[in-house]
Amino acid sequence: MEHSVQLGTQYYRESICAHLRELRDQEELPVQIIELQQGKRWIIDCQFHDPTSEATENEDTVQKIHRYYLANVLADTILHHWEKDHVVKILKKRHYLQQENWQVLLNKALDHLNRGLGQVRGYCVNRKTNLVTQILSCLDDRSVFDIEGFLRFRAKDYKNEVNKAVEFAIDEYIIEKEYEEFIQLLKNFVDSQKPKLDWLHVGMTPQGKFHLYNKEGIKVTHEFLEDYQLDNVHELGYEDLLVSALIAVAPRQITLHIRYDGYKDTLQTIRNVFGDRVQDCQGCSLCEKF
């Protein structure tokens, strides 16, 4: 049984041929690969010759298997090569993004794509399956497949997915940079403040209320947090008030007596702003109060 499929490409000949040769060697695929250049484009003629499949009733099934292998090769090329090129092309158009940040943004976008923007594990596999299915539908119609033409005209949903991941990565990156600048501003402010206390202990009840104690173990919450809370808690939120109070006090040392996981972001902000001034208590009489 003999049949052939022609694959056209301008930019991905090396990738397609490398995948084809690897597949031919691993799966003993009965294919001859002939590369023909036509101007800037390449035609990769995949000629299948399977002497074991002589029965006419098996030809259709065998051809479908061969097309499935080709669809996998093309999907791998798109996912591993075109996708990166496309993301970089989008980033280049964003003139406010510096070139040294492209690699970070590229990695973020690809990570979002592989994780499915919060969807179930194994999403990358499902993404490839969807691509393979779309490519197979094209190969079923005709024995010629142009990879750039497919991406330009037939892969709208997939391209939208990539574009969405890039936008998500850019937004996340901008938020992270703004957060870093905000933390640096707070650090500079704290460093310029004269400490109102040498040592401040911070505890938290299971209900989520913070309490402040000085070095002698005397409760000073009302001085630095509760009175401030009455006027601002609805506007800022209780956790933000804690951070504001600590910045206002600017203690030389802060000990956290907190064993709950629900305030990780707030505690991380405190650690980022105060750095070496912060330590976590491993257990003491004060911890037993909470």
Side-chain angles (χ1 to χ4, degrees), residues 115-156:
R115 288 189 293 108
L117 296 177
Q119 296 185 39
V120 295
R121 289 183 63 184
Y123 181 75
C124 184
V125 176
N126 296 333
R127 203 156 60 91
K128 180 181 176 181
T129 301
N130 290 337
L131 259 181
V132 168
T133 302
Q134 291 182 58
I135 294 169
L136 276 174
S137 68
C138 296
L139 291 174
D140 285 340
D141 294 337
R142 52 190 305 190
S143 59
V144 177
F145 182 91
D146 185 275
I147 192 168
E148 283 89 6
F150 168 78
L151 289 164
R152 191 174 295 116
F153 301 112
R154 300 287 294 269
K156 182 179 178 182

Side-chain angles (χ1 to χ4, degrees), residues 7 16-24 33 44 46 70 73:
L7 308 178
I16 292 172
C17 289
H19 279 93
L20 277 172
R21 292 188 184 99
E22 183 180 358
L23 190 64
R24 180 184 61 189
I33 304 164
I44 304 167
C46 304
L70 290 181
V73 166

Side-chain angles (χ1 to χ4, degrees), residues 38 134 274 284:
Q38 296 182 346
Q134 291 182 58
F274 290 93
C284 69

Side-chain angles (χ1 to χ4, degrees), residues 29 36 84 107 122-123 133 135 145 154 165 182 195 199 220 237 281:
L29 201 63
L36 304 169
K84 293 179 182 178
N107 292 340
Y123 181 75
T133 302
I135 294 169
F145 182 91
R154 300 287 294 269
F182 174 65
W199 209 301
V220 292
C281 183

Side-chain angles (χ1 to χ4, degrees), residues 197-209:
L197 287 177
D198 285 334
W199 209 301
L200 189 66
H201 296 267
V202 181
M204 188 183 75
T205 66
Q207 290 74 35
K209 291 205 69 174

Side-chain angles (χ1 to χ4, degrees), residues 273-288:
V273 172
F274 290 93
D276 294 339
R277 300 190 194 193
V278 180
Q279 63 182 24
D280 292 287
C281 183
Q282 301 304 314
C284 69
S285 58
L286 193 58
C287 291
E288 294 174 3

Side-chain angles (χ1 to χ4, degrees), residues 158-205:
Y158 166 65
K159 285 170 67 177
N160 286 340
E161 191 178 15
V162 177
N163 295 342
K164 191 187 301 181
V166 176
E167 296 300 327
F168 194 91
I170 292 173
D171 290 345
E172 186 180 65
Y173 178 76
I174 291 173
I175 290 171
E176 287 175 358
K177 296 301 289 184
E178 289 176 347
Y179 177 76
E180 289 173 6
E181 292 172 4
F182 174 65
I183 292 296
Q184 189 58 50
L185 182 68
L186 294 181
K187 287 176 71 172
N188 293 339
F189 181 76
V190 167
D191 291 341
S192 67
Q193 289 284 91
K194 182 179 179 180
K196 294 181 181 178
L197 287 177
D198 285 334
W199 209 301
L200 189 66
H201 296 267
V202 181
M204 188 183 75
T205 66

